[in-house]
Amino acid sequence: MGFLWLLIVGGVLGWLASIVMRTDGQQGIFLNIIVGIVGSFLGGILVSPLIGGGRIIDGNYDMMSLISSFIGALILLAIVNLVRRGSVR
């Protein structure tokens, strides 16, 4: 059951991050889930120690964990845009 919640929350966070970064039209639901999960892992490593909270990969679904995962997904999309286009956008 925890893996299913990770997919759902990761997909929603990846989708929201792609809307903010204006890359939603380029990627589908599968890529949104991947961006959300990898972004939450990245956010759990980089952002969680700064703002507190756990990682959603570990099953923590509190507000600080969701915020750090969302910021991680934004960072991941910014890096992908920088490599792909040469600008963050």
Side-chain angles (χ1 to χ4, degrees):
M1 188 68 165
F3 184 71
L4 181 65
W5 279 114
L6 179 65
L7 289 177
I8 292 169
V9 171
V12 169
L13 289 174
W15 174 64
L16 291 174
S18 67
I19 288 174
V20 170
M21 295 297 289
R22 288 183 253 141
T23 60
D24 189 44
Q26 302 167 0
Q27 50 192 50
I29 190 166
F30 181 72
L31 200 54
N32 282 338
I33 293 172
I34 298 297
V35 165
I37 293 173
V38 174
S40 69
F41 180 74
L42 185 66
I45 291 174
L46 298 176
V47 181
S48 284
L50 299 174
I51 65 172
R55 300 183 307 180
I56 67 168
I57 292 178
D58 296 333
N60 296 328
Y61 296 104
D62 59 344
M63 187 56 73
M64 295 309 278
S65 300
L66 294 175
I67 290 171
S68 67
S69 297
F70 179 70
I71 292 171
L74 288 176
I75 292 170
L76 179 66
L77 283 175
I79 291 170
V80 168
N81 284 342
L82 188 63
V83 169
R84 194 183 309 170
R85 292 190 195 102
S87 68
V88 174
R89 189 167 150 155

